[in-house]
């Protein structure tokens, strides 16, 4: 286990989360995957146990956990169920623009119900025509008296249609590129807000991925985050900060797959001995464990840089997310291989873990985009 610098209280909290994940989350994981329905019971569990409160400061109803504790919580939950781990990660993602750029009134109004888990949050940046090139968005926001009128749509939004609070990015001045993007807090019941298609996906099946549609959607001017033109910066600063959480989701999935591969290989008898007695299997397990541990070090390191207030953490966040997600894909594939035909069957969780791992290489910026972030930082 990688070295971490958690306080004693946070260590106790993470141990409690590990137990909750084992006892209450793990038994639900296969069913969540099978039904593809958002697990409201898991959301309630995380809310009741104050796990959703972790990323929020105490003055707004949170428990003010360190980022290191937040990533460790996401890891422990994802080790058993990646969909449940994502509930915490996205609560942070959708709320962070408010934490980062909200004024006192906005924070007082929106953060406490997010910290308590009464409301879910979503982060709406991606559109049908703008994914990696987020600045190519088309959604516009036009000021009209004491309101902004939003028109356009957002695609592939986690918690889309479930979240009461949506951090939405839209063009207030389409002529000036990224400086013309602004961020807004959009509530689900604002006039002109509707939900379009809900995606059918490969993995993280219980997480709802929806389309948000704005048709002359009326957003009070007081729901602008920061100033007009701050939006792109807010989005990028948010992703810098939350990517270690996706690294942690990947790390948890990989650890879960490793746990399974180790226990299965000790029990499965072929040629009159456990398959784990074969050096071919042992070498696979050793490589898997080494990859998981290296990913853990990168994820914890990025989180600790954030906790320590270091300025130059962006590339380290990208490294953590990129490396951990690539490892998760490798390790889950190897776990399926070690389980043989059983690994391919839904009776065992290996195939689910492999499907769940894939998304971690794609969202919050694909791993190609992470490489661009890292290379740009090196070359500047
Ligand atoms: C399940 C799921 C949940 C999501 N949740 C959210 C959410 O909550 N909020 C949100 O805003 N978005 C969300 N997304 C969107 C996600 O962030 C985007 O899908 C992702 O950023 C990639 O965008 P794209 O799908 O348009 O792919 P594209 O940008 O079209 O990329 C296609 C391929 O081209 C590569 N590529 C693109 N540009 C370059 C380049 N310059 N150099 C090298 N390669 C490049 C990409 O890496 C990728 O391999 C989610 C997506 C999924 C699938």
């Amino acid at each position: 286990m990688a070295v971490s610098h958690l306080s004693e209280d946070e260590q106790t909290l993470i141990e409690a989360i590990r137990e909750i994940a084992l006892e209450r989350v793990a038994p639900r994981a296969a069913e969540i995957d099978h039904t593809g329905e958002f697990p409201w019971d898991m959301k309630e569990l995380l809310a009741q146990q104050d796990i959703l409160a972790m990323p929020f400061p105490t003055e707004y109803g949170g428990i003010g956990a360190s980022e290191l504790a937040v990533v460790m919580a996401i890891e422990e939950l994802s080790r058993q169920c990646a969909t449940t781990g994502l509930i915490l990660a996205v609560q942070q993602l959708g709320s962070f623009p408010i934490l980062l750029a909200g004024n006192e009134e906005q924070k007082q109004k929106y953060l406490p119900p997010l910290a308590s888990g009464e409301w879910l949050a979503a982060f709406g940046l991606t559109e049908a025509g703008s994914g990696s090139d987020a600045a190519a968005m088309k959604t516009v926001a036009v000021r009209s008296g004491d309101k902004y009128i939003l028109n356009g749509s957002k695609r592939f939004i986690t918690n889309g249609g479930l979240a009461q609070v949506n951090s939405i990015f839209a063009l207030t001045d389409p002529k000036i590129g990224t400086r013309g993007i602004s961020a807004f807090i959009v509530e689900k019941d604002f006039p002109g807000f509707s939900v379009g298609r809900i995606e059918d996906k490969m993995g993280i099946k219980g997480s709802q991925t929806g389309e948000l549609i704005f048709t002359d959607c009326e957003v009070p001017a007081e729901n602008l985050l920061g100033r007009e033109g701050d939006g792109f910066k807010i989005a990028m600063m948010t992703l810098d900060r939350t990517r270690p959480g996706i690294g942690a989701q990947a790390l948890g999935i990989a650890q879960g797959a490793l746990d399974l591969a180790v226990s299965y290989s000790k029990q499965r008898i072929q040629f009159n001995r456990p398959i784990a007695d074969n050096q071919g299997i042992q070498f696979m397990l050793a490589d898997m464990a080494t990859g998981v541990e290296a990913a853990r070090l990168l994820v914890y390191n990025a989180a600790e840089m954030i906790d320590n207030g270091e300025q130059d953490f962006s590339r380290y966040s990208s490294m953590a997310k990129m490396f951990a997600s690539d490892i998760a894909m490798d390790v889950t594939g190897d776990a399926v291989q070690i389980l043989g035909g059983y690994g391919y069957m839904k009776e065992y969780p290996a195939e689910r873990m492999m499907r769940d791992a894939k998304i971690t290489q794609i969202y919050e910026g694909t791993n190609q985009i992470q490489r661009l972030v890292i290379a740009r930082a090196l070359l500047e």
Side-chain angles (χ1 to χ4, degrees):
M1 187 68 74
V3 183
S4 76
H5 304 102
L6 286 184
S7 67
E8 229 171 89
D9 280 357
E10 287 197 331
Q11 250 166 34
T12 311
L13 175 65
I14 296 302
E15 277 158 29
I17 293 173
R18 184 174 307 142
E19 280 196 14
I20 291 166
L22 252 178
E23 285 168 16
R24 314 244 334 244
V25 178
R28 280 280 283 123
E31 196 183 5
I32 292 169
D33 179 60
H34 180 66
T35 62
E37 284 167 12
F38 182 78
W40 289 104
D41 58 332
M42 293 294 103
K43 192 276 277 182
E44 279 311 309
L45 176 70
L46 302 195
Q48 277 162 14
Q49 300 289 334
D50 269 351
I51 298 172
L52 287 182
M54 291 177 73
F56 298 91
T58 48
E59 61 266 41
Y60 304 112
I63 62 169
S66 64
E67 189 55 32
L68 180 59
V70 172
V71 299
M72 290 174 93
I74 296 171
E75 174 189 349
E76 292 300 341
L77 296 169
S78 305
R79 187 171 174 179
Q80 310 301 340
C81 172
T83 290
T84 303
L86 187 60
I87 297 175
L88 173 57
V90 175
Q91 196 72 344
Q92 183 176 39
L93 172 71
S95 307
F96 199 71
I98 305 174
L99 269 167
L100 186 74
N103 57 35
E104 200 45 42
E105 218 170 297
Q106 292 167 335
K107 289 180 180 171
Q108 293 286 356
K109 179 169 177 189
Y110 289 106
L111 296 179
L114 291 167
S116 71
E118 184 192 338
W119 286 352
L120 288 173
F123 178 87
L125 180 65
T126 303
E127 299 184 1
S130 64
S132 301
D133 184 11
M137 68 176 62
K138 295 271 189 288
T139 299
V140 289
V142 177
R143 176 95 192 219
S144 166
D146 59 356
K147 292 189 176 69
Y148 282 90
I149 306 298
L150 266 61
N151 278 290
S153 64
K154 296 286 167 183
R155 177 71 64 91
F156 297 165
I157 306 306
T158 303
N159 286 350
L162 304 178
Q164 179 68 21
V165 178
N166 300 273
S167 293
I168 299 297
F169 301 87
L171 292 164
T172 38
D173 187 346
K175 295 185 295 294
I176 55 173
T178 54
R179 284 176 299 117
I181 296 172
S182 302
F184 299 91
I185 307 169
V186 181
E187 291 189 44
K188 194 166 80 160
D189 29 31
F190 282 173
F193 179 99
S194 61
V195 182
R197 56 194 256 176
I198 303 295
E199 306 293 342
D200 188 7
K201 308 188 293 295
M202 173 193 289
I204 52 161
K205 301 276 273 186
S207 174
Q208 179 158 306
T209 313
E211 181 184 25
L212 306 181
I213 300 172
F214 310 98
T215 313
D216 292 330
C217 177
E218 295 177 20
V219 178
E222 71 225 28
N223 278 28
L224 174 71
L225 281 167
R227 285 174 306 185
E228 275 193 20
D230 285 352
F232 195 71
K233 202 168 138 204
I234 294 171
M236 294 305 117
M237 286 174 77
T238 298
L239 292 170
D240 278 347
R241 172 88 190 211
T242 56
R243 279 175 181 148
I246 298 305
Q249 186 193 28
L251 169 61
I253 296 169
Q255 181 66 58
L258 176 62
D259 297 341
L260 175 67
V262 168
S263 74
Y264 185 87
S265 65
K266 289 198 287 192
Q267 286 159 18
R268 176 68 175 168
I269 308 291
Q270 289 294 284
F271 303 100
N272 297 317
R273 56 182 192 164
I275 58 168
D277 283 3
N278 297 294
Q279 205 176 49
I281 297 286
Q282 291 173 5
F283 281 10
M284 281 176 84
L285 292 173
D287 287 345
M288 290 159 76
T290 306
V292 169
E293 202 55 25
R296 180 169 286 119
L297 286 168
L298 279 175
V299 169
Y300 290 4
N301 175 62
E304 292 205 274
M305 288 182 82
I306 292 170
D307 286 332
N308 294 338
E310 291 186 39
Q311 297 301 309
D312 188 25
F313 66 87
S314 169
R315 78 180 87 165
Y316 298 96
S317 280
S318 289
M319 286 176 192
K321 189 266 184 195
M322 177 185 87
F323 188 82
S325 58
D326 285 349
I327 285 293
M329 209 55 230
D330 290 349
V331 167
T332 54
D334 285 348
V336 170
Q337 191 66 22
I338 288 175
L339 269 72
Y342 296 93
Y344 201 73
M345 301 301 159
K346 289 199 182 267
E347 185 187 349
Y348 285 85
E351 62 83 35
R352 183 189 81 232
M353 291 166 167
M354 193 174 97
R355 287 184 286 107
D356 286 347
K358 185 62 202 171
I359 190 57
T360 63
Q361 294 180 311
I362 295 172
Y363 57 16
E364 296 209 19
T366 66
N367 282 2
Q368 285 78 15
I369 295 305
Q370 307 310 322
R371 286 177 172 87
L372 288 183
V373 172
I374 297 162
R376 272 186 202 136
L378 287 173
L379 298 170
E380 83 189 1

